[in-house]
Amino acid sequence: MQMQTITLRAAPSARRLAPPPPPVSSSSLSAGRWIPHTRCWRPRSIRASASLEQEVKERADSPSPSAGKSSQATRRDVRNIAIVAHVDHGKTTLVDSMLRQSKVFRDNQVVQERIMDSNDLERERGITILSKNTSITYKGTKINIIDTPGHSDFGGEVERVLNMVEGILLVVDSVEGPMPQTRFVLKKALEFGHAVVVVVNKVDRPIARPEFVVNSTFELFIELNATDEQCDFQTVYAIGLKGKAGMSADNLADDLGPLFEAILRCIPEPRIEKDGALQMLVTSTEYDEHKGRIAIGRLHAGELTRGMEVKVCTPDDACRIGKIGELFVYENFGRVPVESVSAGDICAVCGINDIMIGETIADKVAGVALPTIKIEEPTVRMSFSINTSPFVGKEGKFVTSRNLRDRLYRELERNLAMKVEDGETADTFLVSGRGTLHLTILIENMRREGYEFMIGPPKVINKTVDGKVLEPYEIAAIEVPEEYMGSAVELLGKRRGQMLDMEASGPEGVSLLKYKVPTRGLIGLRNAILTASRGRAVLNTIFDSYGPWAGDISSRDQGSLVAFEGGSTTSYACINAQERGILFVKPGQDVYKGQIVGIHQRPGDLALNVCKKKAATNVRSNKETTVVLDEPLSYSLDDCIEYIQEDELVEVTPLSIRMSKNPKVSKKGKN
């Protein structure tokens, strides 16, 4: 392992001048395979003279070392894989091409892009939020595919599904290379001992640098203490959008055949106990209006049949009896009802309405619970409370604390990375998550469902160890043009960031900055850094560890413009108000006392009247002056959450998002 590391880092010029890999043929695949990061063919561990198909068959039929001790076997007709990557590296697009080439859809069927992103929010934001299951069939082998989120705030979804698979496809962009979320998902996969196939995607980009990306990925494996076998990963080059793949970046096939072959060759068959007692760990749940709660997981042992009675249990021996109502497996792009499922496959179960994620569906007599799913702790907390503004109940259907409580605790049934606690009052709840985006998605879903409520500013969750306060730190990777690098460095310095690395990112004059920043300092940073770089910077973060308290951090230099009178805004008042700062409201809009109507151009809040009307007098003016009103600033939900401070709230309704001063905090300050 050390010799590989020295060779990789000490002779970069030798790597660039090395000859390209020879063309891949069936005979070469039988004799061995090309390892891009070592520039050599690796002999296969089984007889080189055997063909690839014969070798796979022999491996499946050969007994394992522990065959004499248990009834474990392998299923040759199934592979279970998860596709993981950093956000925007092309996971979902690659799955689209895999589905199309597997003839999942009719030739005349209209298929939208990113078909796995079926949620409205996923399509609007262009990101994957929930993990989803599908399957394809290639050369008689069923490949169960799980598409996972790429954003770090939804890492809990990735941690859950890794329990269901034996290997992963690690998709890496051919220009950016490994990014923060790439490190996180790879670390989790290596901890599970999963096999990894690296897919260098988007190799058709003009500034693609696949060789650098493969070497960077190899170094990441070493940093994460991967085993020798895991470091010897298979690399496949692909263009997910066009549905092409190959063993060399310069020689791609016309389809994804090389990728499918790599999955069959490198991802191990599921190891099962076919004759053992039934065991199925529930890793995900869905809800259907007709079927009720649906439990999804991989069958580890035994056979599950429709109508059979089972035991639902947890590791602490809390068990109850249930009955399987309906049974489904994933075929192509949907669920197909079946009468029975054998061990090693991924299935969906209906009929047990109180089943929870992490519980085990086991044999009624001899069933034993599997270890429950462990998820990393949340780092950010926000308060949810009932709407107390004068406009309460005008736009939403669910406004009471009971409605709010039921919805929040229902979210815990499928969102393991989230926690809900009761607040100081009966109508306040503390919701903790992986980050502000994690909580923002919940808030957006709730407002679309008809809920009205108010939320407080995000706060980090600190720990106290040996009398010392520790706060969460995150690794921030910022891609910024060189001309704006000074502004970015200044912003991160003000927020207690520590620079870890700075390097050129491709030939476009873009620099990649890596910082270790307190999570407190990241709140509101995205908008600030976009403003400083004129919208050209890209910020990605991932949780790192807990560290010493970094000190006070000032996140906002300007105050707010606050309405001290309710009513409808007028043009006359807005003309005078816009001289004080930037407004959020326009003429004719209803506001209430205490609502934030703009950003003050100076530190500190300023109360003003945006509903003032022009006095009607009998004195005629000599000349009518024409004043043009500025376009009001439109803030999204994410922007509002980043903007508010300790004494401010965000009012969320199905039709509006407003900000206001918190009257409870204001009263405490006066006392």
Side-chain angles (χ1 to χ4, degrees), residues 560-565 580 595 597 600 604-610:
S560 300
L561 299 177
V562 184
F564 68 76
E565 183 178 306
R580 306 286 189 173
Q595 181 177 335
V597 295
H600 192 201
D605 296 337
L606 177 66
L608 44 75
N609 187 1
V610 290

Side-chain angles (χ1 to χ4, degrees), residues 431-497:
V431 183
S432 306
R434 283 286 186 86
T436 53
L437 180 61
H438 188 199
L439 298 175
T440 301
I441 294 298
L442 168 64
I443 296 166
E444 185 65 39
N445 281 324
M446 289 177 63
R447 70 181 288 250
R448 295 186 183 203
E449 294 167 10
Y451 286 84
E452 267 191 27
F453 53 98
M454 304 192 87
I455 53 178
K459 300 178 182 178
V460 299
I461 301 174
N462 299 322
K463 289 183 178 180
T464 303
V465 179
D466 298 331
K468 296 181 180 180
V469 178
L470 304 180
E471 64 174 330
Y473 280 76
E474 300 191 28
I475 300 296
I478 306 100
E479 294 181 49
V480 60
E482 291 180 356
E483 59 264 33
Y484 303 113
M485 190 166 61
S487 302
V489 171
E490 182 182 1
L491 275 173
L492 289 159
K494 289 181 178 179
R495 294 168 182 262
R496 307 284 181 173

Side-chain angles (χ1 to χ4, degrees), residues 472-601:
Y473 280 76
E474 300 191 28
I475 300 296
I478 306 100
E479 294 181 49
V480 60
E482 291 180 356
E483 59 264 33
Y484 303 113
M485 190 166 61
S487 302
V489 171
E490 182 182 1
L491 275 173
L492 289 159
K494 289 181 178 179
R495 294 168 182 262
R496 307 284 181 173
Q498 304 169 12
M499 182 180 287
L500 302 178
D501 190 16
M502 180 174 63
E503 61 183 23
S505 178
E508 294 180 319
V510 176
S511 296
L512 177 63
L513 307 176
K514 290 187 179 179
Y515 272 80
K516 185 176 182 180
V517 192
T519 303
R520 287 182 300 133
L522 293 174
I523 297 173
L525 177 62
R526 194 176 304 274
N527 277 341
I529 209 163
L530 283 174
T531 302
S533 64
R534 299 189 179 182
R536 296 177 62 186
V538 179
L539 172 65
N540 294 293
T541 61
I542 188 73
F543 173 75
D544 181 56
S545 60
Y546 275 82
W549 179 262
D552 294 334
I553 297 175
S554 176
S555 59
R556 202 175 82 190
D557 298 328
Q558 297 170 306
S560 300
L561 299 177
V562 184
F564 68 76
E565 183 178 306
S568 180
T569 57
T570 64
S571 301
Y572 177 71
C574 289
I575 291 171
N576 297 323
Q578 72 180 11
E579 297 178 359
R580 306 286 189 173
I582 304 173
L583 294 181
F584 294 142
V585 296
K586 57 185 178 181
Q589 190 171 332
D590 291 336
V591 298
Y592 55 84
K593 181 180 179 180
Q595 181 177 335
I596 297 174
V597 295
I599 303 174
H600 192 201
Q601 60 189 2

